[in-house]
Structure formats: structure tokens, C-alpha cells
Amino acid sequence: MLKQILSKLPRKSSRTSDSRENGGNHATYSNVSGGARSSDLGTGKPGNLSFSSFPAPNSTADVGCKGANLKPNGNHVLSSYEALPAFKDVPASEKPNLFIKKLNLCCVVFDFNDPTKNLKEKEIKRQMLLELVEYVTSANGRFADAVLLEVVKMVSANLFRSLTSQPRENNVVEGLDLDEEEPSMDPAWPHLQIVYEFLLRFVASPETDAKLAKRYVDQSFIIKLLDLFDSEDPREREYLKTILHRTYGKFMVHRPFIRKAINNIFFHFIFETEKHNGIAELLEILGSIINGFALPLKEEHKVFLVRALIPLHKPKCLAMYHQQLSYCITQFVEKDCKLADTVIRGLLKYWPITNSSKEVMFLNELEEVLEATQPPEFQRCMVPLFRQIARCLNSLHFQVAERALFLWNNDHIENLIVQNRKVILPIILPALEKNARNHWNQAVQSLTLNVRKIFYDLDPELFNECLLMFQEDESKEDEIAARRETTWKRLEELAEKKAYGSKAVLIAHKANTNNGSSGKR
């Protein structure tokens, strides 16, 4: 009977899960400000807990605890258990009290580091948690204050704990070979997963009144929930992402606080530790939040972009969350095209110098930003931008040079360049000429000649002017180099003469000294 009921429950879309597997860069999220539609954020895992993998709860498995000293922190000794009736076996009027009793029993926390300890009690608790999930899912009456209080107590007792981190190698910290590193799995996950599922369905339930629940799902609760994002278990972070998004959508009063708390996590990460496991998930939530921002953008949101999102390009482990960050940045530019100049100058500020793989990521993001950039904003930043692109064109790392040349394959970017060719061509022509003559990679040379041809076919007169200027500058550089070489040779000759003169004086002095000694004898 239970399985039949559960099979009728609506399943969450796995659309976001697919986008997450594909990098999450352009994940489509719901508009958070759109009320019930905010529940569309799904990951395929949270909200789709498979009850078929667990034995269904029944009246013999539901137990009570007599004589046990129950404490939320789990420091207790369970003396005995006694069966409690299942929800289906009690009148509707008694179900809320039975629900509270089961919540109290589930506040008991067991040690999962020892798999042989409290096996019977752990299984009993697991069965009760499953029944609690079913009860919350099928509830058809508003949860009272007493119930809300007990729900938050049970969730807090089970989820809020100090996270233990395992030592990680440097290559993981720097964001390299992330797929090859085995994630750390929490041994308590069989219970934690059901508690997370319970919390998710509780927050999403239409029977949870936000006006009443905000007294218990308060700022302290949210801070502790955010602290868990540093968990090394990706399954836990996935649940947290969905739950926090639902919380943001349901509790409007907490929205400014949630944004500020995420902002503080980013500051701590950027300027102090550069170590946090949940930056990608937090950015995914923000991608949905930014998508729902009303226009015109508030000053608070623009400050967040400048002070938190753009500096997130600084850490070495950028690869761990770059796709999500790029999505957030692009959302801002699409919302307000005037921010393009701010974003591009921010990227130039944090542009990597010695990290080629990071430089390729910057070029990828730059293309997405430029696609949303309009001519007035482009003109404000095009000079410093194309000075940097010229340096990328001459990079000895072929992937960097190749990625920079691919910018001309984008029609919108090419149109922006064509419209401003009189400013841009003098900046990048020297780099194109050097590539065409000397670059070691054949593909880069070929792409360079294609770009060179685009400019020549478009405006031969301007191209020849710029080429003549480049040749004049090149001849001046040759003259300066020749003068410098002549100066160095002259200095070397003078140094040799001086050294020879000093040596001759030393020999003469030694000879005089020897002669004086012989005369005394």
C-alpha cells in the first residue's frame, strides 16, 4: 500500500541534473521571485529519494524509547525500546502527537564510525525517518507551532555537526585533476540522506506556513545550514543546494540575510583561506537568484558583483567553480548591459600571468561577456582589452593563442571589432605579424593569417597604414637594439682595458717588491 501511495507522488525534473553533469554553466533555473515556480530547482537526487531501496516502515518497526535519556546531541544511553503504532493505525486526531513523539525519538544521534555498533537502534531510527518523510509529504493540514519547533530540533540534532576534513593533496587545492580525486563520503549518509529528504519536503510543503515557520527556521538555522556547504560529500552539498534554494523562495523575509551570508562566505574564501568545498553549489543558487532580479538592479546587487563575484577569479582553484561563476557574471551583463565595462575591466585586473589553463578559462568567459556587450560599453574598454588580447595572441602556449584567435569566429564580437577597427587594428597588428612570421604552432599561424586577411579585405587602406607604422616601429626597435649592442660592446672593451691595466700595474708592483728584497740580501 505504501509503495502505491509513494508511486503517485510527483517526481522532480532532472533537467538541472543534466545541466549539472554538463558543467552547469548554462543551467536553467526558475525565477526565485516567481512564487511556487521556485520549487522547480532540482538535481535529480534531492526530492527523488527512492523508498524502494529501503524496507517500508510498519507497525512492528516503529518503536518508542522508554527510560532513555534523550538529548539532541546524542550523548545518551538507550535502555529499552517499545513499539509505537504506525500513523495508519491511529485516528487522525492523534497523528500530530504521534508525529511529535517520533520526531523526539529521531533526535537520538548514533555513531556511524563504528559499523558494528547499535545496529538494531540504527535500523529502527531509519524506519521512523522514512515514515516521517511520508507523513510530511502527505500532510493535509497546517503544521502547528509545536510541530514546527520539534521539526527544527530533530533536523538540527542530526545535521548540524562539525565537519571533519581529510588531508588533500596540492593538486586538488589548485583545482587540477578534480575528476580523478575520490570524494570523501560520510559514513552516516544512510540516515543523513533521509533527514535531508525530510527537511526538503518540509520546506516545500504547502502545509508549512512561512509566517509561522520563520520563527524556527531563523537566521541562526540558516547560518548553520550554510556552514554545511563545506562538506566534502557531494551528495550532501547537492541536497543543501536544493534546500537553500527552496528556503530562499519560501521565506522572503530571509532573502537579504541569505545573500549577505553567502557574500561573507565568499569574502572568507577569497581573502583568507582559498579553501571551500561548496563554492560551486552556492554559485548555482546565486545563478537562479540573479536570474530573478528585478530591473533596474539595486545598488546592493551591483556592489555584490564588484566586491564578491569578480574577485572570485583570483583563487588558484578557479577551475572548481568557474562554469557557475561565468554563468552568474553573464547573467549580470544580460540584465544590465552597462555593467559590461565593469566586468571586462575586472577580468583584466585578475588576468592570470603564468597560468595558461586559467587564461583559457578567462578567454572563454570573455567571449560570453562580449556576446552580451553593446557598442557603447565595448568602446569604453576596448583599448585595454585588446592590449591583453594581443598578448594572448603572442602566447607561446598554443591553446591560449588559439583561443584568442577564435574570438573572430563569433559574429557579434567580429562586428564590434569591425565597427572599431581604426582603434583595434593598430593595437593587434604587431601581434598578428609576429605570429605569422615566428609562431612555432602551425594551427596558430594559419588562424593568424585568416584574421589578418579579414582586416585586409575589410579595409586595405587602413591595413597598409597600420602595416607601415608597424614596419617603422620595427626598424626603430632594430636601431635601438643595434645601439644597445654597440654600447654593451664598448663597455666590455673598456672593462677589458681596465682589467688589463690593473693587471699590468699589479705585475710591476710585484716585480719591484721582488727586486727590493734581492737588494737587501
Side-chain angles (χ1 to χ4, degrees), residues 356-467:
S356 299
S357 61
K358 197 172 175 182
E359 202 163 3
V360 171
M361 285 189 280
F362 270 59
L363 287 165
N364 288 333
E365 184 176 349
L366 179 63
E367 180 172 358
E368 292 184 9
V369 172
L370 287 174
E371 279 184 354
T373 302
Q374 299 304 312
E377 285 70 39
F378 179 79
Q379 289 168 2
R380 291 193 189 100
C381 62
M382 62 185 176
V383 172
L385 171 61
F386 277 87
R387 283 176 183 161
Q388 181 59 58
I389 290 175
R391 286 191 284 270
C392 291
L393 293 174
N394 286 147
S395 173
L396 292 177
H397 195 291
F398 79 96
Q399 288 180 332
V400 175
E402 195 174 57
R403 188 63 190 83
L405 288 161
F406 281 156
L407 291 174
W408 273 264
N409 290 343
N410 186 298
D411 292 339
H412 180 71
I413 297 173
E414 186 179 352
N415 287 335
L416 291 174
I417 294 171
V418 167
Q419 292 170 18
N420 299 277
R421 60 186 179 275
K422 291 183 180 179
V423 176
I424 293 172
L425 185 57
I427 297 172
I428 64 165
L429 185 66
L432 295 173
E433 289 299 313
K434 290 173 185 175
N435 268 10
R437 296 178 193 174
N438 304 318
H439 203 283
W440 64 271
N441 185 272
Q442 188 62 43
V444 171
Q445 280 194 345
S446 177
L447 288 168
T448 299
L449 291 174
N450 290 340
V451 172
R452 192 175 178 276
K453 187 174 185 301
I454 289 171
F455 281 110
Y456 182 79
D457 292 344
L458 183 68
D459 195 337
E461 186 178 346
L462 176 64
F463 183 88
N464 289 327
E465 272 181 40
C466 294
L467 184 60

Side-chain angles (χ1 to χ4, degrees), residues 480-494:
I480 292 170
R483 285 201 300 269
R484 188 184 298 116
E485 186 68 24
T486 303
T487 303
W488 276 111
K489 283 183 179 179
R490 192 181 305 122
L491 288 171
E492 287 172 0
E493 289 172 1
L494 288 172

Side-chain angles (χ1 to χ4, degrees), residues 14-58:
S14 60
R15 202 168 143 193
T16 309
S17 176
D18 295 336
S19 65
R20 175 81 172 151
E21 290 169 6
N22 292 328
N25 192 22
H26 293 287
T28 304
Y29 298 113
S30 63
N31 187 330
V32 178
S33 62
R37 290 189 62 192
S38 66
S39 65
D40 291 339
L41 176 68
T43 60
K45 293 179 184 177
N48 281 333
L49 181 64
S50 175
F51 285 83
S52 61
S53 61
F54 302 104
N58 51 54

